[in-house]
Amino acid sequence: MRDFAAELEERKRAGLYRTRRQISSPQQPALVSDGVPLLSFCSNDYLGLANHPGIIKAATDAMPNTGFGGAASHLICGHHDAHHQLELRLADFTRRSAALFFSTGYMANMGVISALAGRGDTIFSDRLNHASIIDGCVLSRARVRRYRHGDMSALADMLAATAGHKLVVTDGVFSMDGDIAPLRELAALCRAHGALLVVGDAPGLGVLGPQGPGSL
Ligand SMILES: Cc1ncc(COP(=O)(O)O)c(C=O)c1O
């Protein structure tokens, strides 16, 4: 059996052991972390929605009609009217014909990628894609080929050399460096090679474009 205690000690020695900060204030730039007031630069709450008074009021007002907890998956009996209204509003906001709501970005990448590619198919994935995209590719059981970050000529060569069902997946905004994928070129390449294009737009949604519909 693996010696987990030794592995943990090794992590501590290497400075890689992580513990959880305990936050006792609402999620906002001024946080109380382990009892100490701090200014947070590490959250993903780009839009400042986590403690927005309008959202707190809407959630409080909705509670008597919705209760708390989904009770089951959406395909069983967990698809509440409130979810449905949210999907309609999100489709409108992103100017798409439809939207599907997932509880986290991670789950969205699991669900979308594994629905659109499977065994025998090929996924082309930018090398700097978010970890959740990489996990979604693994879950799909498709063959995964990674192309150099943003390198459209490498991707074009790979697409030309591959037969069968193809899917290209990229972040819209790359979360570590903040650069934006060459979406026009990606869309043109996918059209030319009969490939599907999936764009993960976690840091782009609500930020980019007029009124914030995202990188697309
Ligand atoms: C680019 C990108 N994709 C996906 C995710 C995953 O989202 P979540 O934290 O909601 O699972 C994140 C957030 O960390 C992200 O930055």
Side-chain angles (χ1 to χ4, degrees):
M1 196 166 83
R2 269 169 65 180
D3 187 345
F4 289 109
E7 286 182 29
L8 287 174
E9 280 313 310
E10 180 47 39
R11 276 183 171 258
K12 285 179 189 168
R13 260 196 304 278
L16 295 174
Y17 185 75
R18 298 182 73 183
T19 56
R20 297 170 300 172
R21 295 180 181 91
Q22 218 165 301
I23 306 301
S24 51
S25 58
Q27 290 294 347
Q28 56 193 13
L31 283 184
V32 179
S33 170
D34 295 321
V36 181
L38 293 176
L39 196 54
S40 167
F41 289 91
C42 61
S43 111
N44 289 342
D45 183 28
Y46 311 111
L47 304 178
L49 298 178
N51 191 35
H52 192 286
I55 291 187
I56 293 170
K57 180 171 183 334
T60 309
D61 290 349
M63 279 293 160
N65 281 333
T66 60
F68 195 82
S73 73
H74 287 250
L75 286 175
I76 299 178
C77 66
H79 190 60
H80 195 278
D81 183 53
H83 295 124
H84 201 66
Q85 295 308 317
L86 175 62
E87 291 182 341
L88 294 175
R89 299 276 293 273
L90 284 172
D92 195 41
F93 178 66
T94 54
R95 300 171 203 161
R96 303 275 131 190
S97 55
L100 199 56
F101 174 68
F102 289 82
S103 52
T104 68
Y106 187 91
M107 293 315 297
N109 283 329
M110 296 300 112
V112 170
I113 298 170
S114 65
L116 297 179
R119 239 185 259 283
D121 301 333
T122 310
I123 298 176
F124 302 86
S125 173
D126 188 292
R127 265 186 192 279
L128 293 192
N129 276 343
H130 190 263
S132 57
I133 292 181
I134 296 168
D135 284 359
C137 293
V138 171
L139 182 67
S140 76
R141 296 182 170 84
R143 188 164 73 115
V144 181
R145 300 205 56 196
R146 296 193 307 161
Y147 58 91
R148 215 169 51 205
H149 178 50
D151 187 339
M152 293 300 95
S153 111
L155 176 61
D157 290 346
M158 288 179 176
L159 283 166
T162 307
H165 179 62
K166 297 174 249 192
L167 182 148
V168 175
V169 61
T170 182
D171 272 317
V173 178
F174 289 87
S175 50
M176 289 296 121
D177 297 332
D179 57 320
I180 299 175
L183 293 172
R184 262 180 221 288
E185 292 94 318
L186 279 164
L189 268 183
C190 286
R191 223 170 262 130
H193 292 277
L196 290 179
L197 176 60
V198 171
V199 180
D201 209 18
L205 188 76
V207 176
L208 296 180
Q211 280 85 49
S215 59
L216 284 164

